[in-house]
């Protein structure tokens, strides 16, 4: 909803049922002066983010739940982002438009939701949170986000584009901000208005699937030189902690260890109990490199590097579709050890057996 008062478009923030009107002008925002402008665009007062690294933070009370609506005209060839529940630059939730896909309403990667964990955008670990959307350059496009507890619904030009059953960020409240290169106008925030969307997390589609390897021991991160492509063995003596898979079977190493400033590796270890010797198929999603050992013997190594010929389907993201191979198991307990290295965005692993006939996983 837009209301003009003395030529000024106002930002409406509802505070527990009380409407507080906040003018959309520069004294309500924190920004670098050379990156953000306030002007009239297409006859509407607007905020212009002038560069791909522009960032504008709304001053005022934290946002938790409610509805956020705004009009956006994306610019340039980068992404246009909207941040909410922003605790700081490192921890925040993000919805963004991939501007290069403007005018392509059927492109499957037009929009994305992703959390930032310790300043790392986990887009490559959460492939399922992107979708197609009808938007264009050279015109206003309307965005609406409905946020309730752990769930979110996103709409672009009044069409549903994303249904997020579980917001993955570490924050449940924080500021609102915009980033990227775009014009922004007609921003409306309705606190507490969640349009009946449940705050309870939606169903994890893997919840009833026992084939996922969810319980592991994990080593401390260690540096790994870029030029090292093959490991000849894994640590025989090391200190182990426990780690458990998140939703969709994801071992989220970024959440566990934070941002990688240099290339790092950790070792994951678990046990597979087999009734008899044989070969069992496993599907693996990983970011970015893996080395796999069974009972101390190397059985597989691979890379999943986004933007290179080594990128796995789907486009270098971490899903069980990345690869599959066979594990040579002996009768009894089998030690499965996987080294996982990372130096690009999210760091994680998903492991799923093809079937459980004759084997038992740790739970």
């Amino acid at each position: 909803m837009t209301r003009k008062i003395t030529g000024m478009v106002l930002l409406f923030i509802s505070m527990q049922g009380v409407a507080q009107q906040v003018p959309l002008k520069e004294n309500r925002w924190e920004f670098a002066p050379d990156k953000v402008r306030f002007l009239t665009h297409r006859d509407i007062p607007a905020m212009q983010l002038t560069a791909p690294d522009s960032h504008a933070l709304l001053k005022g009370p934290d946002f938790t739940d409610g509805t956020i609506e705004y009009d956006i005209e994306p610019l340039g060839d980068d992404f246009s982002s909207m941040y909410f529940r922003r605790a700081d630059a490192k921890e925040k939730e993000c919805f963004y438009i991939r501007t290069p896909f403007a005018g392509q309403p059927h492109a499957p990667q037009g929009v994305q939701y992703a959390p930032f964990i310790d300043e790392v955008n986990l887009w490559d670990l959460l492939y399922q949170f992107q979708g197609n959307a009808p938007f264009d350059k050279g015109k206003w496009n309307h965005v609406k986000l409905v946020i309730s507890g752990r769930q979110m619904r996103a709409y672009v030009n009044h069409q549903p584009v994303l249904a997020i059953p579980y917001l993955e960020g570490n924050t449940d409240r924080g500021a609102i901000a915009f980033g990227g290169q775009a014009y922004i106008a007609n921003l409306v925030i309705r606190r507490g208005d969640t349009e009946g969307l449940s705050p309870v997390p939606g169903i994890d589609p893997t919840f009833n699937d026992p084939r996922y390897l969810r319980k592991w021991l994990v080593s401390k991160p260690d540096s790994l030189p870029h030029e090292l492509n093959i490991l000849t063995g894994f640590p025989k003596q090391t200190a182990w902690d426990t780690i458990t898979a998140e939703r969709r079977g994801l071992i989220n190493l970024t959440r566990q260890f934070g941002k990688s400033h240099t290339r790092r590796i950790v070792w994951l270890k678990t046990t597979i109990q087999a009734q008899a010797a044989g070969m069992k198929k496993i599907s693996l999603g990983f970011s970015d490199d893996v080395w796999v050992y069974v009972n101390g013997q190397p059985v597989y190594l691979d890379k999943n590097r986004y933007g290179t010929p080594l990128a796995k389907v789907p486009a270098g993201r971490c899903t069980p579709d990345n690869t599959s191979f066979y594990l040579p198991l002996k009768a009894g307990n089998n030690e499965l050890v996987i080294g996982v290295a990372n130096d690009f965005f999210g760091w994680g692993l998903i492991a799923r057996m093809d079937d459980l006939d004759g084997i038992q996983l740790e739970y």
Side-chain angles (χ1 to χ4, degrees):
M1 176 181 67
T2 303
R3 183 181 303 171
K4 290 189 177 182
I5 300 179
T6 62
M8 180 182 298
V9 173
L10 297 183
L11 162 69
F12 290 88
I13 300 184
S14 173
M15 299 181 64
Q16 298 180 346
V18 178
Q20 178 188 4
Q21 299 179 355
V22 182
L24 182 61
K25 59 183 183 180
E26 60 183 84
N27 68 349
R28 301 302 305 173
W29 300 83
E30 295 179 8
F31 57 92
D34 59 337
K35 301 291 186 179
V36 179
R37 300 170 57 207
F38 293 85
L39 72 173
T40 298
H41 180 67
R42 302 191 187 280
D43 300 321
I44 299 174
M47 176 173 66
Q48 181 187 8
L49 308 174
T50 62
D53 62 347
S54 294
H55 187 270
L57 175 71
L58 178 63
K59 300 176 184 178
D62 284 349
F63 174 87
T64 302
D65 293 328
T67 299
I68 303 169
E69 296 191 59
Y70 58 96
D71 291 331
I72 181 170
E73 181 179 325
L75 302 170
D77 295 314
D78 213 311
F79 302 162
S80 299
S81 300
M82 190 275 166
Y83 304 102
F84 59 97
R85 294 180 176 173
R86 181 190 183 278
D88 52 38
K90 293 184 176 183
E91 301 288 338
K92 54 193 174 182
E93 303 276 22
C94 181
F95 169 83
Y96 57 92
I97 289 174
R98 289 190 170 99
T99 307
F101 295 97
Q104 302 179 46
H106 302 295
Q109 62 273 60
V111 293
Q112 172 114 32
Y113 154 73
F116 279 66
I117 304 295
D118 194 29
E119 209 172 4
V120 180
N121 182 340
L122 297 193
W123 67 276
D124 58 335
L125 298 186
L126 302 169
Y127 171 73
Q128 67 273 16
F129 292 156
Q130 66 174 15
N132 60 304
F135 66 92
D136 288 288
K137 288 184 175 182
K139 59 175 285 189
W140 289 116
N141 303 273
H142 189 69
V143 173
K144 181 171 82 168
L145 306 180
V146 181
I147 299 154
S148 178
R150 279 298 185 178
Q151 296 204 51
M152 183 179 80
R153 298 291 184 268
Y155 304 81
V156 174
N157 289 326
H158 310 288
Q159 295 188 27
V161 295
L162 288 178
I164 308 301
Y166 190 83
L167 293 166
E168 299 275 355
N170 287 335
T171 65
D172 59 9
R173 62 187 299 125
I176 287 171
F178 289 92
Q181 194 171 6
Y183 291 102
I184 304 294
N186 297 334
L187 176 62
V188 177
I189 301 173
R190 299 192 297 276
R191 296 176 184 275
D193 181 2
T194 59
E195 299 189 353
L197 178 63
S198 173
V200 178
I203 294 173
D204 176 357
T206 72
F207 180 79
N208 294 327
D209 192 338
R211 297 174 301 158
Y212 284 83
L213 286 78
R214 301 180 187 273
K215 185 177 180 180
W216 298 78
L217 297 176
V218 62
S219 70
K220 299 296 184 185
D222 197 5
S223 62
L224 183 68
H226 282 276
E227 65 272 11
L228 184 58
N229 294 318
I230 298 176
L231 299 182
T232 58
F234 56 87
K236 300 298 189 296
Q237 301 292 331
T238 189
W240 298 97
D241 295 319
T242 59
I243 189 170
T244 303
E246 299 182 359
R247 294 167 63 94
R248 292 181 176 261
L250 173 65
I251 299 296
N252 193 332
L253 297 169
T254 298
R255 198 187 307 273
Q256 182 84 355
F257 297 114
K259 183 177 180 179
S260 295
H261 296 280
T262 60
R263 192 169 189 235
R264 296 189 296 176
I265 186 171
V266 297
W267 296 95
L268 295 168
K269 181 169 70 170
T270 192
T271 300
I272 301 175
Q273 187 179 79
Q275 294 178 3
M279 304 292 286
K280 298 298 290 186
K281 188 177 182 181
I282 188 172
S283 295
L284 208 64
F286 57 97
S287 180
D288 299 301
D289 306 343
V290 291
W291 297 262
V292 181
Y293 295 81
V294 174
N295 298 321
Q297 298 302 310
V299 297
Y300 186 83
L301 64 87
D302 210 342
K303 301 179 184 297
N304 185 18
R305 304 279 185 86
Y306 173 79
T308 76
L310 299 173
K312 302 294 183 184
V313 172
R317 279 65 173 265
C318 176
T319 82
D321 295 325
N322 290 163
T323 191
S324 61
F325 53 95
Y326 286 86
L327 302 177
L329 303 180
K330 66 181 182 180
N333 289 334
N334 296 265
E335 184 182 74
L336 173 62
V337 175
I338 303 179
V340 189
N342 169 265
D343 59 356
F344 179 82
F345 286 95
W347 187 12
L349 180 91
I350 303 172
R352 185 188 66 206
M353 302 304 296
D354 191 57
D355 65 76
L356 297 180
D357 294 343
I359 64 173
Q360 182 175 327
L361 309 179
E362 290 194 24
Y363 294 104

